[in-house]
Amino acid sequence: MEVKARAPGKIILSGEHAVVHGCTAVAASIDLYTYASLSFPSPSSENDDTLNLRLKDSGLEFSWQIERLKDALSNLGCPFPSKPISCPTESLKSISMLVEEQSIPEAKIALASGLSAFLWLYTSIQGFKPATVVINSDLPLGSGLGSSAAFCVSLSAVFLSLSDSMNKDRSQQGWLIFEDSELQLLNKWAFEGEKIIHGKPSGIDNTVSTYGNMIKFKSGDLTRIKSSLPLRMLITNTRVGRNTKALVAGVSERTLRHPDVMSSIFNAVDFISRELSAIIQSPTPDELSITEKEEKLEELMEMNQGLLQCMGVSHASIETILRTTLKYKLASKLTGAGGGGCVLTLLPSCILLFCSLPNLPVDYHFYFVVYLFVFYNDRCLDNMALRSQNSLISQQHGHR
């Protein structure tokens, strides 16, 4: 039997970095997914003593002997899928040694923390069973679109779906949606994976990837948002990689050096996020109301970007996009950790999308990767299709 799950990426409309320090943030899932599959070997299989992980997008494959995993993590005991816990320091050291044994290519060394999260989630939920896990993704790595969160959410989904903590109908084929109680458990496990990758994440990335749609998030509390107007967002990937963990740590260090100033900045971001969510949800009886709302959202995005610059997380590539979109009187801000990654641009309803986009400079398309999404009524639409954004599970049966 093979189980598959998918989890969406995300954008943060407001509140990145400040959310780590207890402030409000607003985020939405996007129509780009990470897919995970889990299969166990048949009794007659020759490959019944290893745990395999295939990363299809990077063309890499990793494997661990089950006995080696048992020796290194002998203190874990039986799996505990219904009780998410943080990886103890000693276990993390053992897992790091297991990852180092894989001889990851130097150019892909950033994958090491993801492998550590994978090993912790698998052994904690499934124990020491031989299996093959395959990952592929629409999401660019290290771009601020929540690739690591979607990775942890999709892994948690397939591992939990074949555990005793979830009562799924394993005879049913096709896509299934998790119940709210199951999503809560899944989200907690994904957060533990995120902590291994990023150190001290806020939890917003895995939460929006787990629950989908648009949310308001503060200190672990989730409020689902329904947009009363279509929000057209252009997402531009600078293709400049960055280290989320280092950027978050940099903001924390700046906070220690300038506590009063940074506290004021975080408070301002909190007000921006709360006002932004209120605007998105308020009624829009006519086109004039939509225009007025969009103008307010543009101002809030510009203010949020200015505060992110004060936190020290902007980048030359981000500033290039800001200048380019400003020429067309469009408001933009970075999304995610910054330092490169992606930039959001609000596209007002008054402009003709498919007429205006080609008018951007030729080098804009050459240097940057551009996505277009529309957010409306708790759904994310691209310009062609509509899909539910909840984490989904699919089960397939067949002989191997």
Side-chain angles (χ1 to χ4, degrees):
M1 183 173 68
E2 181 180 35
V3 177
K4 294 183 178 180
R6 71 179 188 186
K10 61 84 181 132
I11 57 172
I12 296 183
L13 298 172
S14 66
E16 46 269 273
H17 287 289
V19 69
V20 178
H21 298 269
C23 297
T24 307
V26 179
S29 59
I30 59 176
D31 207 16
L32 297 173
Y33 295 87
T34 291
Y35 302 83
S37 69
L38 169 65
S39 59
F40 297 118
S42 62
S44 60
S45 173
E46 297 178 357
N47 197 25
D48 61 354
D49 61 349
T50 59
L51 173 62
N52 304 293
L53 174 63
R54 297 175 188 163
L55 305 178
K56 294 182 69 174
D57 300 299
S58 59
L60 298 175
E61 183 170 347
F62 306 96
S63 63
W64 295 267
Q65 295 292 319
I66 295 299
E67 289 303 318
R68 176 73 182 100
L69 293 176
K70 289 180 179 179
D71 290 341
L73 300 170
S74 57
N75 60 323
L76 286 187
C78 297
F80 38 92
S82 61
K83 298 179 180 179
I85 64 171
S86 299
C87 183
T89 303
E90 287 304 313
S91 295
L92 187 56
K93 288 180 180 177
S94 299
I95 288 174
S96 297
M97 291 178 62
L98 291 168
V99 171
E100 289 175 6
E101 293 170 4
Q102 294 297 306
S103 301
I104 303 173
E106 187 65 30
K108 302 290 184 179
I109 198 63
L111 297 174
S113 60
L115 296 186
S116 295
F118 162 76
L119 287 174
W120 173 247
L121 293 174
Y122 184 83
T123 54
S124 299
I125 297 171
Q126 284 293 330
F128 300 106
K129 300 177 185 177
T132 296
V133 178
V134 180
I135 299 289
N136 65 293
S137 184
D138 306 327
L139 295 162
L141 299 178
S143 63
L145 297 183
S147 59
S148 66
F151 173 75
C152 291
V153 170
S154 60
L155 285 178
S156 299
V158 290
F159 298 161
L160 287 167
S161 66
L162 293 182
S163 73
D164 295 334
S165 61
M166 289 194 178
N167 187 25
K168 286 296 178 188
D169 181 1
R170 297 173 186 175
S171 65
Q172 182 175 338
Q173 298 187 33
W175 290 109
L176 303 172
I177 298 177
F178 287 110
E179 302 296 332
D180 281 347
S181 60
E182 296 171 330
L183 287 175
Q184 186 177 17
L185 177 63
L186 190 160
N187 191 39
K188 288 180 179 179
W189 272 117
F191 183 51
E192 296 306 328
E194 278 279 87
K195 288 198 285 188
I196 293 174
I197 296 173
H198 295 306
K200 294 183 179 180
S202 66
I204 189 171
D205 286 15
N206 51 277
T207 300
V208 73
S209 184
T210 298
Y211 290 93
N213 304 315
M214 193 177 296
I215 66 168
K216 182 170 68 172
F217 184 91
K218 181 176 181 178
S219 300
D221 292 331
L222 161 72
T223 303
R224 300 187 186 188
I225 293 176
K226 288 190 176 182
S227 175
S228 64
L229 75 163
L231 291 178
R232 297 172 177 84
M233 288 288 177
L234 183 72
I235 304 176
T236 305
N237 186 358
T238 66
R239 298 196 287 191
V240 174
R242 77 285 185 284
N243 185 314
T244 298
K245 190 173 184 178
L247 287 160
V248 171
V251 174
S252 295
E253 291 168 4
R254 185 170 288 206
T255 302
L256 291 174
R257 291 194 299 270
H258 312 285
D260 293 337
V261 174
M262 292 298 287
S263 177
S264 297
I265 291 172
F266 294 148
N267 286 337
V269 173
D270 186 75
F271 279 111
I272 288 172
S273 295
R274 285 190 281 166
E275 183 175 344
L276 184 141
S277 64
I279 292 171
I280 288 173
Q281 296 179 90
S282 62
T284 51
D286 50 44
E287 292 186 6
L288 180 60
S289 297
I290 293 176
T291 300
E292 290 175 348
K293 280 189 174 185
E294 288 173 341
E295 289 174 350
K296 289 181 179 180
L297 292 175
E298 287 175 338
E299 291 176 343
L300 291 173
M301 287 178 64
E302 290 173 345
M303 286 188 278
N304 195 173
Q305 175 60 30
L307 294 170
L308 288 164
Q309 289 168 332
C310 293
M311 296 180 204
V313 295
S314 193
H315 185 272
S317 61
I318 294 172
E319 299 301 322
T320 298
I321 295 173
L322 296 178
R323 289 193 299 271
T324 302
T325 55
L326 186 60
K327 292 178 183 177
Y328 298 87
K329 298 182 179 179
L330 300 174
S332 300
K333 65 174 285 292
L334 67 85
T335 184
C342 286
V343 176
L344 295 182
T345 302
L346 178 64
L347 300 176
S349 55
C350 62
I351 70 172
L352 297 175
L353 291 182
F354 299 104
C355 293
S356 299
L357 290 180
N359 291 333
L360 291 174
V362 173
D363 60 353
Y364 189 88
H365 291 284
F366 181 77
Y367 288 112
F368 305 120
V369 179
V370 180
Y371 308 91
L372 173 63
F373 295 97
V374 180
F375 301 87
Y376 185 49
N377 282 343
D378 76 0
R379 287 290 185 268
C380 164
L381 296 81
D382 61 15
N383 54 318
M384 293 295 292
L386 169 68
R387 304 186 206 170
S388 172
Q389 295 302 293
N390 285 42
S391 300
L392 300 177
I393 175 175
S394 171
Q395 301 184 97
Q396 299 178 345
H397 298 259
H399 297 287
R400 294 189 175 275

